[in-house]
Structures are given as structure tokens and as C-alpha cells.
């Protein structure tokens, strides 16, 4: 398995991590809890240690599933979870409503200390490997947020500090007040903005980069029937990228990749995930899964190293087909 290190923390993990947003059920049309627990365990069995979750994924539900799955196996996992999206207080800016509860962006010191205890309880552990500010709070000084995180680190409740959904200026401000071990940002073949903004800053400061939505919410995982309907609160139902026309256009892209997949003996999803962790890109790709089969397939991408010819072939196919997506 290809591995990486989370900044200066010394925490080592594979270049693929398991994302649990969909396991929380919220914005994904529901979920099967038993399958989710099995998927987490299957990911560990396949050699993937980093499990990424957050309180906001189902108002604590995804964290609780991770805690259940890791019972007796805590030592096998690197747990990443988050803070800053809160429903225990009305402080901060209102962000969205989930399950009838208003969720606010708030990264004040007292709130972070409350959140970490709640997460530790749901995760059934006494420490979190990587603790990430989920969304940034413009009303709270970064100095206050970092002071709280550094205190948690000194107390042994967290091992490393991460930030997510951040601008270069705000990352620079975090770095002024202490070490940041990792960022977590959207990154895929069709979401490449951080290549010219955050990734150079991370390289300059030894900060690891975790890419989420590596498969663009599943759009790049392989052909999707243009007639498929997304049900319930599944966010893809209203996402223009998932239009029937776009799904039809993607067929040609996937067909172009077929010879490369055959040469490398890999799936479409594995090819797309490996592309995101090519040299000069993100350190680690976070990939969602709701079944053991999906988790094991994603894990296989950490065993795949793309040569220059493969990278060039993917980039060329993307230039031919993906710039036509609506």
C-alpha cells in the first residue's frame, strides 16, 4: 500500500482513506447502518487505516457508527473527525438545518472543548488522531481556535491539527499561531482549484493535503445509467452535474479509459482515485463507501501507482470529454 504522513505529526496512513459522510444518511437518501459498520471493518481489513468522519454527518450518527465498528480495533485505525458545525449553541453564523435543528459555524474555545468530549464519547475512544475545523468561523479569531486545539493536543485528546474548507489567507493565519498538520479540501479530476492556491502553500509549510469528493460524489466512479433517479434527500437529485445529459456524455470518457484500465487491471474508481494522489497532487484521497464491496474497491487504489503515460492518458481523456459537462 502506498503511504503518506500527516504533516509533522508522524502519523502514517495509506494514500486512501474512508469517508463516512454518506453513512450518516443525511443528504444521501438514507443509509443501512449494518452495511456501514461492515464497510468500516472491511476498509481496515483491506489495509486502509484512516477513517474520516464528523459530528455533522447525521448529527453524530456517523461518528457513532465508527465507534461501533472500531470496538476492539481502535489500535488499527487513524481517526479523523471535526469541530465547528454545532447544534448545542446558537453562537456563530447559521449555516443550515439538519433534522429540524439549526446548525451554526462556531469555533470558539468553549464550544470546541464541548465538541471534543461529545465526539470522544460517540467514537468510544480517549483520543482523536486528526482533529479538523470543519468550516471556518469568521466571527472567532483564529488565535482563539488554535489556542484551544493546541491545549487539546497538550492534554493528549488529539494528536494532530487539521483545517478544512479554507482560503490560503486563513491557512496562513492558522500557521502563524501553531503547526497545521493537514488540510481537507474538495479535489477530483473535475475539481482542481486547489492546485494553484492551497497545494503550493501546503508544500512550502509541510502540511499534508486530504482530498474529499475524490470521485465527485460518485460521478467519476463509473458509468451511471442516465435514467437512474436519486431519491429522498440525496443531494445528487438537484446537482446539475448529475443530469441525464452529463451522465450520457461521461460514457465516452469512460470508454476512452477502458484500454488503460485493462493494462493496469483496475476499476474506473481506482483509476480516478489514484490520479488524485499522483505526484504533486493531494497526499491522501478520501473516498466514501456504504458497503464492504465499495470500501474494498476503494482501498485497492492505494496499491495503484500511475506512471507518466497513464497520467497523460487520463488528462487527455478529461480534456476531450469533461470540459463539456454542464
Amino acid at each position: 500500500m502506498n503511504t503518506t504522513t500527516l504533516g509533522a505529526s508522524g502519523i502514517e496512513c495509506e494514500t486512501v482513506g474512508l469517508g463516512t459522510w454518506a453513512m450518516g444518511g443525511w443528504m444521501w437518501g438514507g443509509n443501512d447502518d449494518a452495511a456501514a459498520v461492515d464497510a468500516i471493518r472491511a476498509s481496515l481489513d483491506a489495509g486502509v487505516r484512516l477513517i474520516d468522519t464528523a459530528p455533522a454527518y447525521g448529527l453524530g450518527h456517523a461518528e457513532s457508527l465508527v465507534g461501533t465498528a472500531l470496538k476492539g480495533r481502535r489500535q488499527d485505525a487513524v481517526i479523523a473527525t471535526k469541530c465547528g458545525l454545532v447544534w448545542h449553541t446558537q453562537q456563530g453564523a447559521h449555516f443550515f438545518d439538519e433534522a429540524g435543528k439549526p446548525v451554526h459555524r462556531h469555533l470558539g474555545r468553549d464550544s470546541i472543548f464541548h465538541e471534543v468530549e461529545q465526539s470522544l464519547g460517540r467514537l468510544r475512544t480517549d483520543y482523536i488522531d486528526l482533529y479538523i475545523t470543519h468550516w471556518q468561523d469568521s466571527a472567532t479569531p483564529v488565535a482563539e481556535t488554535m489556542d484551544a486545539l493546541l491545549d487539546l493536543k497538550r492534554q493528549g485528546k488529539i494528536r494532530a491539527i487539521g483545517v478544512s474548507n479554507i482560503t490560503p489567507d486563513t491557512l496562513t493565519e492558522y500557521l502563524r499561531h501553531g503547526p497545521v498538520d493537514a488540510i481537507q479540501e474538495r479535489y477530483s479530476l473535475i475539481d482542481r482549484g486547489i492546485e494553484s492556491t492551497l497545494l503550493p502553500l501546503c508544500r512550502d509549510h509541510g502540511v499534508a493535503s486530504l482530498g474529499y469528493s475524490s470521485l465527485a460524489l460518485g460521478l467519476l466512479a463509473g458509468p451511471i445509467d442516465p435514467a437512474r433517479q436519486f431519491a429522498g434527500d440525496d443531494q445528487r437529485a438537484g446537482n446539475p452535474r448529475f443530469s441525464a445529459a452529463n451522465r450520457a456524455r461521461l460514457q465516452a470518457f469512460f470508454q476512452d479509459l477502458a484500454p488503460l484500465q485493462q493494462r493496469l487491471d483496475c476499476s474506473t474508481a481506482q483509476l480516478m482515485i489514484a490520479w488524485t494522489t499522483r505526484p504533486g497532487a493531494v497526499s491522501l484521497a478520501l473516498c466514501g463507501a456504504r458497503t464492504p464491496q465499495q470500501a474494498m474497491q476503494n482501498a485497492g487504489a492505494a496499491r495503484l501507482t500511475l506512471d507518466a503515460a497513464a497520467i497523460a492518458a487520463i488528462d487527455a481523456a478529461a480534456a476531450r470529454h469533461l470540459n463539456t459537462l454542464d
Side-chain angles (χ1 to χ4, degrees):
M1 301 284 274
N2 298 320
T3 61
T4 190
T5 303
L6 300 180
S9 70
I11 300 171
E12 187 177 276
C13 51
E14 292 65 41
T15 55
V16 172
L18 175 66
T20 65
W21 180 12
M23 293 180 185
W26 174 62
M27 294 184 73
W28 287 92
N31 189 48
D32 180 331
D33 288 354
V37 168
D38 287 344
I40 295 167
R41 292 170 176 164
S43 192
L44 294 176
D45 292 341
V48 166
R49 282 172 287 179
L50 190 137
I51 311 297
D52 178 81
T53 190
Y57 301 164
L59 298 182
H61 189 58
E63 282 190 324
S64 294
L65 291 174
V66 172
T68 297
L70 296 184
K71 186 177 180 180
R73 301 191 64 174
R74 175 63 182 92
Q75 71 283 358
D76 298 334
V78 173
I79 297 177
T81 194
K82 306 177 184 74
C83 61
L85 294 186
V86 300
W87 60 93
H88 69 278
T89 176
Q90 300 297 301
Q91 291 180 277
H94 178 261
F95 194 21
F96 54 78
D97 290 339
E98 183 178 349
K101 294 186 179 182
V103 177
H104 289 67
R105 294 190 194 187
H106 183 52
L107 286 167
R109 179 183 178 87
D110 291 345
S111 183
I112 289 174
F113 274 76
H114 172 84
E115 281 202 85
V116 78
E117 295 300 332
Q118 297 299 305
S119 289
L120 289 169
R122 288 188 290 259
L123 292 164
R124 304 185 190 186
T125 186
D126 57 1
Y127 70 95
I128 292 162
D129 296 287
L130 176 63
Y131 202 43
I132 303 165
T133 57
H134 200 161
W135 284 84
Q136 302 311 305
D137 165 23
S138 60
T140 300
V142 168
E144 177 182 339
T145 300
M146 274 297 281
D147 182 68
L149 296 173
L150 290 169
D151 274 353
L152 290 176
K153 192 173 179 180
R154 283 189 284 268
Q155 293 171 15
K157 293 186 178 180
I158 68 174
R159 297 177 64 200
I161 295 169
V163 295
S164 185
N165 300 302
I166 197 164
T167 65
D169 286 347
T170 306
L171 175 57
T172 299
E173 179 67 7
Y174 270 95
L175 289 165
R176 283 186 59 240
H177 297 284
V180 174
D181 297 294
I183 66 166
Q184 186 178 129
E185 298 291 328
R186 184 186 304 274
Y187 185 70
S188 73
L189 190 58
I190 56 176
D191 292 297
R192 302 179 61 171
I194 65 171
E195 289 179 352
S196 60
T197 56
L198 286 165
L199 291 186
L201 187 58
C202 287
R203 286 191 287 269
D204 288 346
H205 292 273
V207 178
S209 50
L210 282 58
Y212 68 79
S213 287
S214 303
L215 296 173
L217 304 178
L219 190 66
L220 298 177
I224 302 173
D225 186 342
R228 178 180 171 185
Q229 298 294 313
F230 296 100
D233 70 344
D234 194 320
Q235 62 187 299
R236 292 170 293 182
N239 188 328
R241 281 184 170 176
F242 284 82
S243 68
N246 278 348
R247 284 181 259 168
R249 291 186 186 102
L250 278 164
Q251 298 285 346
F253 171 68
F254 294 131
Q255 288 170 6
D256 272 11
L257 296 181
L260 180 59
Q261 287 178 235
Q262 186 174 11
R263 175 168 77 83
L264 297 175
D265 189 25
C266 67
S267 69
T268 302
Q270 289 169 342
L271 197 61
M272 294 295 92
I273 296 165
W275 180 92
T276 68
T277 59
R278 72 199 185 284
V282 295
S283 312
L284 182 149
L286 292 169
C287 307
R290 290 197 277 188
T291 67
Q293 294 77 15
Q294 290 172 345
M296 289 186 291
Q297 179 178 200
N298 292 343
R303 298 185 178 88
L304 180 60
T305 301
L306 302 181
D307 58 25
I311 294 168
I314 294 169
D315 288 339
R320 284 192 296 273
H321 303 292
L322 298 190
N323 61 2
T324 66
L325 295 183
D326 295 335

